[in-house]
């Protein structure tokens, strides 16, 4: 019964992740009116699924990081009660944010849930040094790097155009925009899937490949059915944007997330994509970034980790009882 509960809770987490995260890769397509909402979410679903399947072969480092090993003794990190508490806490945190419309980080939620259950299990013996180096630092650096990079790329494109007066081929820009959105969604699936799959691997019936396929399907359903409110926040409330701004933001997000995933750094696609979109809005006077909305999102990021930690700690204590 415990393993069945873990299986269902992990699928719920994957569904919640899809609801909050799937549209982030294509938010600039909808925000710049390059495509309709329906076209954007279908493109996100397809490319996210492709990234999820690819992750089964290339993202082993993240699977190890999010199993809890290194933070906790193996005996606890391998227990189904621990994994169940983490899955429930992360899934609840992410789905609540999705229903409200806040684009939060599943990575951040998982980190908080791991710490919350870990504190109940072994108290202050949790390896906080590993937490800071492998989790917190990359998460904090994500938007800090993304904002100046996106403003720089958009400014560079404007400079090149004004310097050489290159002809604008709108069809080519739109094609590149779609391609870049596909890369971001692919990177998101590539980055998120191993983190969630790690919770299933204590169930002996699942291989990494089999678990990844189930997680990918659940993420796709979450994005198709429950991503509307996050889509509006990402596409319209942070900043208005044109085609070139959207393309610039996507290029930065795709490069940063794929590079970080390859080296096992748990950066947040959410933090990178929001930072990139906010950054391109800063540089254009015609499409000012909405700092109030950005600060609200930033506050939700701060609250994500302690919220997931509290839910996870309570859940793990109940499961122990």
């Amino acid at each position: 019964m415990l393993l069945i509960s873990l299986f269902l809770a992990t699928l719920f987490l994957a569904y919640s992740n899809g609801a909050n995260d799937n549209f982030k890769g294509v938010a600039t397509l909808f925000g710049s009116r390059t495509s309709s909402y329906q076209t954007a979410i279908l493109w996100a679903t397809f490319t996210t699924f492709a990234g999820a399947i690819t992750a089964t072969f290339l993202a082993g480092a993240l699977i190890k990081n999010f199993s809890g090993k290194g933070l906790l003794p193996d005996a606890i990190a391998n227990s189904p009660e621990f994994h169940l508490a983490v899955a429930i806490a992360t899934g609840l945190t992410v789905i609540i944010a999705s229903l409200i419309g806040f684009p939060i980080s599943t990575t951040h939620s998982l980190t908080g849930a791991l710490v919350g259950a870990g504190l109940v299990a072994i108290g202050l013996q949790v390896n906080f040094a590993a937490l800071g180096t492998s989790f917190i630092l990359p998460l904090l650096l994500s938007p800090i790097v993304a904002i100046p990079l996106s403003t720089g790329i958009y400014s560079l494109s404007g400079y090149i155009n004004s310097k050489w007066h290159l002809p604008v081929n709108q069809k080519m820009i739109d094609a590149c925009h779609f391609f870049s959105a596909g890369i971001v969604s692919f990177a998101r699936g590539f980055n998120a899937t191993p983190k969630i799959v790690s919770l299933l691997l204590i169930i002996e019936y699942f291989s990494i490949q089999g678990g990844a396929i189930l997680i990918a399907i659940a993420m796709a359903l979450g994005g198709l059915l429950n991503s509307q409110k996050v889509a509006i926040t990402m596409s319209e409330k942070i900043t208005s944007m044109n085609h070139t701004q959207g393309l610039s933001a996507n290029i930065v997000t795709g490069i940063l997330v794929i590079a970080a995933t390859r080296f096992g750094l748990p950066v947040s696609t959410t933090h990178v994509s929001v930072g990139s979109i906010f950054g391109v809005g800063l540089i254009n006077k015609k499409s000012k970034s909405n700092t109030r909305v950005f600060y609200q999102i930033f506050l939700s990021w701060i609250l994500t980790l302690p919220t997931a930690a509290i839910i996870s700690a309570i859940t793990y204590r109940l499961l122990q009882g």
Side-chain angles (χ1 to χ4, degrees):
M1 181 60 69
L2 196 61
L3 293 180
I4 293 174
S5 299
L6 174 58
F7 172 69
L8 294 176
T10 306
L11 289 184
F12 168 66
L13 166 57
Y15 180 94
S16 302
N17 173 268
N20 198 275
D21 283 15
N22 274 16
F23 200 83
K24 293 167 185 173
V26 296
T28 58
L29 287 176
F30 182 50
S32 63
R33 296 302 182 261
T34 301
S35 77
S36 65
Y37 172 84
Q38 290 79 6
T39 301
I41 191 61
L42 287 174
W43 181 232
T45 301
F46 172 77
T47 50
T48 299
F49 189 86
I53 300 304
T54 305
T56 64
F57 303 101
L58 298 177
L62 280 179
I63 292 176
K64 181 180 178 181
N65 283 349
F66 281 87
S67 65
K69 295 178 180 178
L71 286 176
L72 307 161
D74 288 354
I76 297 173
N78 289 329
S79 69
E81 293 89 352
F82 179 81
H83 283 238
L84 179 56
V86 170
I88 291 174
T90 307
L92 284 175
T93 302
V94 175
I95 198 66
I96 290 170
S98 303
L99 295 175
I100 297 173
F102 283 119
I104 66 167
S105 166
T106 301
T107 304
H108 223 164
S109 302
L110 268 171
T111 302
L114 287 168
V115 173
L119 287 173
V120 171
I122 59 173
L124 296 178
Q125 296 177 42
V126 171
N127 188 349
F128 288 103
L131 178 69
T133 303
S134 300
F135 295 85
I136 302 300
L137 185 59
L139 286 169
L140 291 176
L141 288 176
S142 299
I144 295 174
V145 174
I147 290 174
L149 272 180
S150 61
T151 57
I153 287 181
Y154 180 61
S155 299
L156 179 62
S157 66
Y159 173 78
I160 292 174
N161 187 52
S162 63
K163 186 76 172 178
W164 286 285
H165 302 288
L166 299 176
V168 177
N169 186 325
Q170 193 59 52
K171 288 185 177 180
M172 181 64 71
I173 291 177
D174 289 347
C176 291
H177 196 169
F178 262 94
F179 181 72
S180 67
I183 290 176
V184 173
S185 294
F186 179 92
R188 201 204 71 72
F190 186 67
N191 186 267
T193 303
K195 302 170 189 175
I196 302 175
V197 169
S198 65
L199 298 174
L200 280 179
L201 294 185
I202 62 170
I203 304 176
E204 61 182 12
Y205 304 106
F206 287 105
S207 64
I208 293 178
Q209 289 77 13
I213 291 172
L214 289 172
I215 295 305
I217 292 172
M219 285 196 301
L221 289 174
L224 290 171
L225 299 178
N226 274 111
S227 65
Q228 292 88 345
K229 288 192 176 180
V230 171
I232 292 173
T233 300
M234 293 286 294
S235 301
E236 299 175 353
K237 291 185 178 181
I238 296 175
T239 184
S240 58
M241 68 188 88
N242 58 39
H243 300 268
T244 308
Q245 286 174 299
L247 177 59
S248 300
N250 279 355
I251 289 173
V252 170
T253 303
I255 291 174
L256 287 180
V257 173
I258 289 176
T261 302
R262 186 65 189 89
F263 291 102
L265 297 174
V267 303
S268 165
T269 306
T270 302
H271 294 191
V272 173
S273 60
V274 170
S276 298
I277 291 172
F278 184 76
V280 295
L282 286 176
I283 204 68
N284 194 334
K285 295 180 180 179
K286 294 181 180 180
S287 56
K288 293 182 179 179
S289 293
N290 190 333
T291 53
R292 182 178 64 85
V293 170
F294 182 79
Y295 288 142
Q296 288 175 346
I297 294 172
F298 188 74
L299 178 61
S300 73
W301 293 351
I302 294 174
L303 294 175
T304 295
L305 194 148
T307 300
I310 291 170
I311 296 173
S312 179
I314 294 172
T315 305
Y316 186 62
R317 175 61 72 193
L318 292 173
L319 289 171
Q320 282 184 318

